[in-house]
Amino acid sequence: MTVTTVTPPRLAGSPEQGEPRRRLRGTLRWLVPLGPALVLLVIFMAGPILWSVYIAFTNETLTGAASVNSHFVGFANFVKLFGDEDFINSFLLTFIFVIGSAVIGQNTLGLVIALIQRGRGRVLRGVVNGVVIAAWVVPEVVAAACWYSFLAEEGTLNELLGSLGLSQDWLFSAPMLAIILANIWRGTAFSMLVYSAALSDVPSDLLEAAAVDGASGWRRLVHITLPLIRRSILSNLMLITLQTLAAFGLIYALTGGGPGTASQTTPLYMYEQAFRYFEIGYGSAMALVMLVIGAVFSLVYLRLIKVDA
Amino acid sequence: MRRAMVASMLAVAVAATAGACGGDTTDKSAGGAKEIEVLYKTDPTWPYMDKVLKQAKTDYEAAHKGVTIKLSPVQGDNEVYYTKLALLNRSPDSAPDVYLHDTFQVNADVAAGKLAPLDDYLKTWPDWATQYADSVKQAAKGPDGKIYGVPISTDTRGLWYNKDVFAKAGIQVPWEPKTWADVLTAARAIKAKAPGVIPFSMYSTKPHGEAATMQGFEMLLYGTPGGTLYDDTQKKWVASGKGFTDSLGFINSIYRENLGPKQADAFDPKLGDKVALEWFPEAKLGIDLDGAWVSSAWKPSGTKPWPEWTEKIGWTPMPTQNGEAPGAVSMSGGWVMAMSSYAKDKKEGFDFISTVTNKKNTLLYSVSTGDLAPRKDVAADPTYSADNPAVKFWTDLASVTHYRPAYEVYPKVSAEVQKAMEAMTTGSKAPDAAAKAYADSLPAVVGGPDKVTAGS
Amino acid sequence: MTRVAARTAALISLALITLAFLGPFVWVLVASVQPEANLSAKPTFEFSFKNFAAVLNWETVYHPIINSIVISGGTAILTVVVSGLAAYPLSRYKLRFKRHFMLTLLFTTGLPVTAIMVPVYSMFFRFNLYGSVPATVLFLAASALPFAIWMMKNFMDGVPVSLEEAAWVDGAGWVQSLTRVVVPLMAPGVAVVTIFVFVGQWGNFFVPFVLLDTPEKQPAAVTIYTFFSQYGQVAYGELAAFSIIYTAPAVVLYVAVNKYLAGSFSFAGSVKG
């Protein structure tokens, strides 16, 4: 954009001079550059959220008679939601998925990798980081294709296990395990990077002094390192929980939520209701529940990091 | 200057939105030339409609100067097509003018005002009175008694079986099962004596959508005493009764006794292709509960030419549960060419529909797909039955066939049926528990407990 | 445990972790260069680019990749311009609502995008935007904005104000000082945000899958899913080749900004104090 302006901005601009024109100028000075962002955010982020609050209370669908005249149905969608065994099933699966793949899997594995990598040679770190991050960089559908070939009945894992007599069709015999493992694989890099950054801030002289005092590796970890990176751990947990809560593509491409509803987490159930059966009102009620849960986690996260804005 | 900047930003935003709105509205009436957009489905393993419509487009454009036919194929299976059509139909701008429509969805679209009645045009088309039997004309009749589509195909369903597999299992051919028990006995014999062969295949999972409900479940339910999803006299949906539970029980036996395809295949949306293109030709499958069209892949013009199929493959009606009269059961559906109520040039649209469904094009469609012909002159044509010895059998099944209760809520009822079937496939529920879950969910799906009656 | 034993144990566990992470890649990499690869085939010593040749055509690869470039590129450019403009007042002026605004943005990054899609989808229908690529790009930009503004502001905070003051003395306005002084100095930051947004959208499957209607508009993320579900078992080699072609740009771009990314992680993992 080549539009120029002649008024130099003032750094400590406080528009409290009382004069309305000046105040307007002061407002314009931040409103103009901030404007496009505000417009986009209001239309495409705030708008849909408010919209979902509205349609969650209607019987909106995309086909049939309700698609031409949807009407207000009160709390009917929510009553249906909490009596819907498929929704409750999806909710439990989401819970297992988040705990298994994020809180336990990615978080612990990321911390472990970051810890044992500390102080190793550059080449070694490069190789390990490279492989772990590669799993994170591949698009989710490709990740699903990788895991599909790995876990399928005639896949890589069964070739390796074949001699032990353990081979089976993992995607059907253990679909939750399959998506949890795949998501650990894909997401560990994030936790690893967060913890590597946090650990680099732990003063090494403190650890060395403790070692001289005869503290074992485990004691040093529990009493020095972990308390020092406490806040990183908590924020990391919040962030990966939020990401995992919304996970869709990987599960959809890998198991499609199946077999049956055995790996149908809430985002997948919501997808089925809203985009396959076109129950937009019902789907929005589910979306709203997810948004509220996300908002709670997000607020806890904000509290934790006490960010300086 | 700032104002200039704001203005330019607004201009950008408006331009973007305008471009967005204009996104899909093709220049339907630009320059006076008319364009009819036609939506249909196609697939690498099902290219037939594409061929028919291309032929019809050539014929039509030659006869109607100034009108172009814009063919919009949707890649994928039926479920993908239903979704795409429903979405495009949401707004007048994106709705196609003319489209291939599955008959079971017609009522829902009539209720939503998406379809144009064709009665006025049909009056001017002599073929409608002379070539279509009254039963065929019902295919796309709305609740208001008007006609909303011209049939391009109809179909029946039954059992296909592989004679080589039967020989290995020591079962006599021609095979004529009289009861469900006979079918299960044959499947068990195959499992016992023909290792590596899948004894029985049917559609029973959500990925197959309506195919699971119709080819799978309803073929069982409508063969039980009094079994139906909808009670026509009471005008109510039927909550699960004994027939419903028994039908689920049949599916349960198939999967619990490992008589069906393995889970990965049962959930594979391409199961139908596996059956026709791999398992039957390679003698890896004993029995398939499916539609009349399965053999179309094996024709010289099909996707898997297999001239020996007429000797290797047998066909027989699906028996009723315990051999109750009339002894066999079939389900019929079919596809129509329908017109959008949003279509601008309805006269031209109907002219194209009548071109697609004329004798020449219907014949091409019927011969290549193996679907049954809705037109009398096509059914009587020697090329129709020339290289398909099974066609008379499938046509005759019309005497025992049933139609789906294709009311507006039917697609949702169908989805509930699929849930129950899927529970049988995975074994997550016992048949009576799944039947109870169906009965519990039915009132909400069909719009209230007063629209539901207890099953028999 | 002696030091040597501890060191060996650490090395062994690192080796095991690396191998476990490599496992799922193996068959994709091998199958892509095997002429007759499918899911159940055994690896052979045959080597060929047949699979790549088979998918390198307009419909399978080129068109979807071009769509991906248009969608991801459009989103990245729009996001960078809009977030760059927005970051300027947030970084340079004292504004009463600033803290709340920044916290709201951070809060927004936590909301599950999957859940927002249902109302967005319904809105797109209401306003006749379903299937529109420009509208999809606007939505994608909006969803990328909160995080982009945060990153932009952080990078901009790193550019000393004193450098701008010289420009103001010369009579430059904020637009000039932003474009001539600030942006050149934070070029690496701008590159990071651009690539971050671009790579994010490159892999985005759900949004275009839900908002775009016809295959001609779909980016590679969606067509590869379609290919996967239609031919995943029979033509795994071709799927693998397609996967590699589609993944390559994301990897290259990631490597390009890798060294700048460390900074954003200490941010993500919390700011001390």
Side-chain angles (χ1 to χ4, degrees):
Chain A
M1 255 173 246
T2 52
V3 186
T4 50
T5 169
V6 281
T7 330
R10 283 150 308 167
L11 182 63
S14 51
E16 278 103 72
Q17 271 93 341
E19 204 186 320
R21 266 185 73 192
R22 274 228 173 140
R23 185 169 288 181
L24 180 67
R25 249 187 207 179
T27 309
L28 276 182
R29 215 186 40 177
W30 59 261
L31 189 60
V32 169
L34 212 48
L38 287 176
V39 168
L40 278 178
L41 288 170
V42 165
I43 295 179
F44 289 102
M45 298 300 279
I49 293 173
L50 293 176
W51 182 254
S52 76
V53 175
Y54 164 66
I55 48 176
F57 292 94
T58 70
N59 65 345
E60 171 109 349
T61 69
L62 287 188
T63 54
S67 66
V68 268
N69 43 13
S70 63
H71 58 89
F72 189 74
V73 294
F75 283 93
N77 285 326
F78 293 93
V79 171
K80 183 180 167 195
L81 196 60
F82 293 108
D84 179 349
E85 63 176 274
D86 287 326
F87 175 72
I88 293 166
N89 168 61
S90 79
F91 204 78
L92 289 175
L93 292 178
T94 310
F95 185 74
I96 295 171
F97 182 65
V98 169
I99 297 289
S101 72
V103 175
I104 298 176
Q106 296 176 5
N107 185 53
T108 315
L109 193 57
L111 180 61
V112 166
I113 299 176
L115 278 171
I116 53 184
Q117 262 194 351
R118 217 147 51 115
R120 307 280 161 223
R122 261 191 74 184
V123 178
L124 182 69
R125 288 180 70 137
V127 171
V128 178
N129 274 336
V131 173
V132 175
I133 290 173
W136 183 52
V137 177
V138 296
E140 53 191 356
V141 181
V142 175
C146 290
W147 277 83
Y148 184 69
S149 73
F150 189 64
L151 294 178
E153 195 171 18
E154 282 132 339
T156 316
L157 184 64
N158 281 339
E159 290 297 314
L160 299 173
L161 295 177
S163 49
L164 303 171
L166 290 172
S167 70
Q168 52 186 298
D169 197 335
W170 296 95
L171 291 170
F172 286 86
S173 59
M176 279 307 287
L177 187 66
I179 62 170
I180 286 173
L181 286 177
N183 197 46
I184 293 175
W185 180 79
R186 211 175 114 73
T188 295
F190 183 84
S191 299
M192 181 188 82
L193 289 169
V194 168
Y195 289 132
S196 296
L199 288 176
S200 66
D201 290 339
V202 174
S204 51
D205 47 352
L206 209 61
L207 292 171
E208 278 159 22
V212 172
D213 291 346
S216 70
W218 177 251
R219 286 177 65 94
R220 271 176 283 155
L221 176 68
V222 173
H223 293 292
I224 301 173
T225 312
L226 292 186
L228 279 173
I229 63 166
R230 201 185 94 250
R231 197 165 271 160
S232 287
I233 297 177
L234 290 172
S235 344
N236 181 55
L237 279 175
M238 281 299 132
L239 279 178
I240 58 177
T241 298
L242 286 166
Q243 287 164 4
T244 310
L245 200 62
F248 177 82
L250 184 67
I251 307 175
Y252 188 73
L254 194 55
T255 67
T261 54
S263 60
Q264 192 177 47
T265 58
T266 302
L268 275 95
Y269 186 55
M270 188 183 72
Y271 174 85
E272 187 186 84
Q273 290 299 317
F275 305 120
R276 182 157 173 200
Y277 299 136
F278 308 124
E279 296 287 342
I280 297 295
Y282 191 45
S284 292
M286 242 180 280
L288 210 55
V289 170
M290 277 184 70
L291 281 171
V292 168
I293 295 173
V296 170
F297 274 95
S298 209
L299 283 175
V300 174
Y301 169 64
L302 286 189
R303 265 290 148 82
L304 280 173
I305 63 172
K306 289 204 185 115
V307 69
D308 171 41
Chain B
M1 287 312 235
R2 284 208 186 86
R3 195 178 292 162
M5 179 139 169
V6 174
S8 70
M9 270 169 188
L10 275 176
V12 169
V14 168
T17 330
C21 289
D24 213 28
T25 53
T26 37
D27 41 331
K28 278 180 184 160
S29 49
K34 288 175 177 169
E35 186 181 79
I36 308 288
E37 189 186 356
V38 182
L39 194 82
Y40 61 102
K41 71 186 177 95
T42 190
D43 195 70
T45 55
W46 200 83
Y48 313 116
M49 193 70 204
D50 195 54
K51 279 186 203 155
V52 170
L53 286 175
K54 280 182 178 144
Q55 175 175 298
K57 173 182 155 83
T58 315
D59 294 354
Y60 180 89
E61 285 174 354
H64 299 76
K65 293 291 172 214
V67 186
T68 27
I69 299 298
K70 184 189 170 207
L71 297 181
S72 302
V74 174
Q75 286 273 346
D77 56 28
N78 288 351
E79 298 300 316
V80 173
Y81 181 70
Y82 301 148
T83 308
K84 188 64 54 172
L85 178 59
L87 295 185
L88 291 175
N89 253 341
R90 278 280 293 175
S91 93
D93 293 330
S94 61
D97 299 310
V98 167
Y99 43 92
L100 181 68
H101 211 22
D102 195 330
T103 46
F104 88 97
Q105 299 211 318
V106 166
N107 279 325
D109 282 346
V110 169
K114 306 285 182 198
L115 286 171
L118 303 177
D119 302 66
D120 291 348
Y121 308 102
L122 289 168
K123 274 183 218 145
T124 66
W125 188 44
D127 291 24
W128 185 248
T130 55
Q131 298 301 340
Y132 293 87
D134 281 342
S135 62
V136 174
K137 289 179 181 174
Q138 311 293 318
K141 192 184 238 178
D144 54 2
K146 292 183 177 152
I147 301 292
Y148 288 90
V150 179
I152 179 90
S153 76
T154 176
D155 47 32
T156 52
R157 286 150 179 80
L159 296 169
W160 295 93
Y161 60 95
N162 186 305
K163 292 181 185 169
D164 286 353
V165 171
F166 271 51
K168 219 188 272 177
I171 306 165
Q172 202 155 23
V173 292
W175 179 53
E176 285 166 345
K178 299 288 178 232
T179 63
W180 290 1
D182 290 351
V183 176
L184 287 172
T185 306
R188 288 179 192 126
I190 295 167
K191 181 175 157 63
K193 296 186 190 141
V197 173
I198 300 157
F200 186 92
S201 174
M202 68 186 292
Y203 303 103
S204 62
T205 60
K206 274 194 269 180
H208 301 116
E210 182 55 20
T213 311
M214 194 182 189
Q215 272 98 281
F217 189 78
E218 289 167 357
M219 284 296 287
L220 294 162
L221 179 68
Y222 283 81
T224 63
T228 180
L229 287 175
Y230 186 81
D231 186 325
D232 282 316
T233 50
Q234 295 188 59
K235 304 231 174 286
K236 286 178 178 182
W237 293 89
V238 181
S240 38
K242 183 169 184 309
F244 195 101
T245 314
D246 288 351
S247 304
L248 289 176
F250 179 91
I251 305 168
N252 196 46
S253 305
I254 293 290
Y255 288 100
R256 292 296 80 69
E257 294 180 36
N258 289 319
L259 301 173
K262 62 182 190 210
Q263 296 278 303
D265 291 323
F267 282 92
D268 187 344
K270 300 253 131 193
L271 175 64
D273 286 345
K274 281 196 169 167
V275 167
L277 310 182
E278 291 174 38
W279 294 347
F280 263 149
E282 294 164 19
K284 284 183 184 162
L285 173 65
I287 310 163
D288 179 34
L289 175 55
D290 215 321
W293 55 83
V294 172
S295 63
S296 64
W298 305 322
K299 289 164 173 283
S301 58
T303 41
K304 168 88 186 178
W306 183 34
E308 300 85 16
W309 79 270
T310 50
E311 280 127 52
K312 301 280 187 193
I313 296 293
W315 45 88
T316 188
M318 177 70 191
T320 50
Q321 186 176 12
N322 301 299
E324 293 89 347
V329 60
S330 176
M331 295 297 301
S332 288
W335 294 79
V336 295
M337 293 302 294
M339 180 153 63
S340 168
S341 55
Y342 305 124
K344 280 205 194 76
D345 306 307
K346 292 206 171 61
K347 174 80 181 70
E348 287 75 9
F350 180 79
D351 286 349
F352 184 67
I353 292 178
S354 65
T355 308
V356 176
T357 52
N358 68 17
K359 187 188 174 202
K360 176 184 168 193
N361 290 315
T362 305
L363 183 64
L364 174 64
Y365 181 89
S366 304
V367 167
S368 52
T369 58
D371 282 354
L372 306 177
R375 290 177 64 106
K376 293 175 191 165
D377 50 2
V378 172
D381 196 286
T383 51
Y384 173 59
S385 46
D387 52 353
N388 187 350
V391 75
K392 183 175 177 337
F393 162 79
W394 294 104
T395 309
D396 289 350
L397 277 182
S399 64
V400 293
T401 208
H402 298 263
Y403 293 89
R404 286 166 292 184
Y407 299 97
E408 194 199 334
V409 295
Y410 175 77
K412 289 185 196 168
V413 174
S414 173
E416 293 298 323
V417 170
Q418 291 156 33
K419 250 192 229 171
M421 296 178 85
E422 212 170 70
M424 297 303 102
T425 311
T426 59
S428 68
K429 279 193 187 117
D432 46 355
K436 184 176 179 305
Y438 173 81
D440 291 345
S441 62
L442 202 54
V445 167
V446 299
D450 54 319
K451 293 184 178 131
V452 175
T453 177
S456 51
Chain C
M1 200 152 67
T2 66
R3 265 207 119 90
V4 179
R7 200 182 139 77
T8 319
L11 285 178
I12 289 174
S13 35
L14 276 184
L16 284 178
I17 289 167
T18 310
L19 283 177
F21 270 83
L22 275 176
F25 282 124
V26 170
W27 191 235
V28 173
L29 296 174
V30 174
S32 69
V33 289
Q34 298 245 310
E36 300 298 333
N38 60 39
L39 206 55
S40 53
K42 299 267 181 281
T44 62
F45 287 103
E46 279 177 88
F47 181 90
S48 112
F49 284 114
K50 207 179 113 190
N51 292 321
F52 286 91
V55 294
L56 279 174
N57 55 58
W58 174 251
E59 256 177 32
T60 316
V61 166
Y62 296 126
H63 192 191
I65 291 273
I66 289 171
N67 288 343
S68 280
I69 293 172
V70 169
I71 293 171
S72 311
T75 305
I77 292 168
L78 188 64
T79 308
V80 166
V81 171
V82 171
S83 65
L85 283 171
Y88 189 78
L90 293 171
S91 166
R92 289 299 187 254
Y93 304 156
K94 264 188 195 150
L95 300 169
R96 254 172 300 157
F97 59 83
K98 186 160 80 181
R99 191 180 147 75
H100 280 111
F101 184 72
M102 292 306 286
L103 287 176
T104 310
L105 286 184
L106 200 58
F107 170 74
T108 318
T109 59
L111 295 179
V113 183
T114 325
I116 297 178
M117 286 317 292
V118 181
V120 167
Y121 175 76
S122 160
M123 268 178 57
F124 267 50
F125 271 106
R126 275 291 162 102
F127 299 106
N128 226 348
L129 298 171
Y130 177 68
S132 154
V133 175
T136 304
V137 167
L138 286 176
F139 169 69
L140 288 170
S143 66
L145 266 180
F147 199 64
I149 294 176
W150 258 94
M151 287 171 80
M152 275 289 189
K153 178 184 174 288
N154 279 359
F155 285 120
M156 215 175 267
D157 285 346
V159 176
V161 179
S162 55
L163 292 171
E164 267 177 276
E165 280 164 352
W168 296 336
V169 172
D170 296 343
W174 69 268
V175 174
Q176 282 174 322
S177 90
L178 176 63
T179 52
R180 303 232 176 107
V181 182
V182 181
V183 169
L185 283 170
M186 55 179 282
V190 173
V192 168
V193 178
T194 314
I195 291 176
F196 192 87
V197 176
F198 186 90
V199 172
Q201 297 318 323
W202 188 261
N204 193 332
F205 160 75
F206 194 46
V207 175
F209 184 60
V210 167
L211 295 183
L212 296 178
D213 52 356
T214 58
E216 302 97 75
K217 297 175 193 161
Q218 295 290 11
V222 178
T223 46
I224 201 168
Y225 169 76
T226 313
F227 194 90
F228 179 31
S229 53
Q230 296 230 345
Y231 307 102
Q233 299 194 349
V234 278
Y236 197 83
E238 290 176 22
L239 174 67
F242 189 3
S243 299
I244 288 171
I245 295 167
Y246 162 54
T247 307
V251 173
V252 169
L253 289 173
Y254 175 80
V255 171
V257 287
N258 188 18
K259 70 172 171 174
Y260 298 106
L261 252 131
S264 40
F265 276 96
S266 53
F267 150 74
S270 111
V271 189
K272 276 156 288 168

